[in-house]
Amino acid sequence: MDSRREHARRLLTVPSTVISLDGNPPTNARLIDLSRNGVGFLSSGQLQPSAIYELQFRFPGQSVVDSVRIEIVYSTLHEATGLFRCGARIHAMEPDSLARLVDYVTMPIPE
């Protein structure tokens, strides 16, 4: 965990989908880090800073699709992969999704 962060963060790599709320087609993404207040992911398309999206994903080992409402903070090209590295604040999520997020972020990391 980075000591500069207010909330615990957990690295992961899971497929996800970013859904525009204005009717544009969904964007494929790969969720790469997660905390109680934010997410980091790689996106196949550039996303608009300050725009609100829905991010759908599954926690590792879970069959339930979780969905969170996010606001994009930054979206910059990661030249090595050709994907966009995005950071976003979490604005809203269902209580069950929040419980799974807290469990995932706070569970011990296997050695």
Side-chain angles (χ1 to χ4, degrees):
M1 181 175 71
D2 187 333
S3 62
R4 294 173 297 174
R5 294 183 179 271
E6 181 179 351
H7 298 280
R9 172 177 81 141
R10 178 61 72 78
L11 301 177
L12 70 165
T13 302
V14 295
S16 58
T17 303
V18 180
I19 299 170
S20 171
L21 301 181
D22 62 8
N24 287 328
T27 301
N28 292 325
R30 182 157 295 280
L31 185 60
I32 57 175
D33 73 57
L34 178 69
S35 75
R36 168 61 186 92
N37 289 342
V39 295
F41 57 93
L42 296 173
S43 171
S44 60
Q46 186 165 23
L47 302 175
Q48 195 64 31
S50 300
I52 305 295
Y53 294 87
E54 181 179 326
L55 178 68
Q56 295 180 340
F57 62 95
R58 287 187 179 108
F59 286 102
Q62 297 284 322
S63 60
V64 177
V65 175
D66 285 293
S67 178
V68 296
R69 187 74 46 106
I70 58 172
E71 177 185 1
I72 302 300
V73 176
Y74 64 87
S75 179
T76 58
L77 181 62
H78 185 255
E79 291 186 20
T81 63
L83 299 173
F84 291 88
R85 171 77 163 104
C86 302
R89 285 186 196 93
I90 295 175
H91 274 253
M93 73 175 62
E94 295 295 321
D96 289 347
S97 294
L98 175 59
R100 282 188 288 278
L101 184 149
V102 169
D103 286 348
Y104 183 77
V105 171
T106 60
M107 77 175 157
I109 298 173
E111 292 183 27

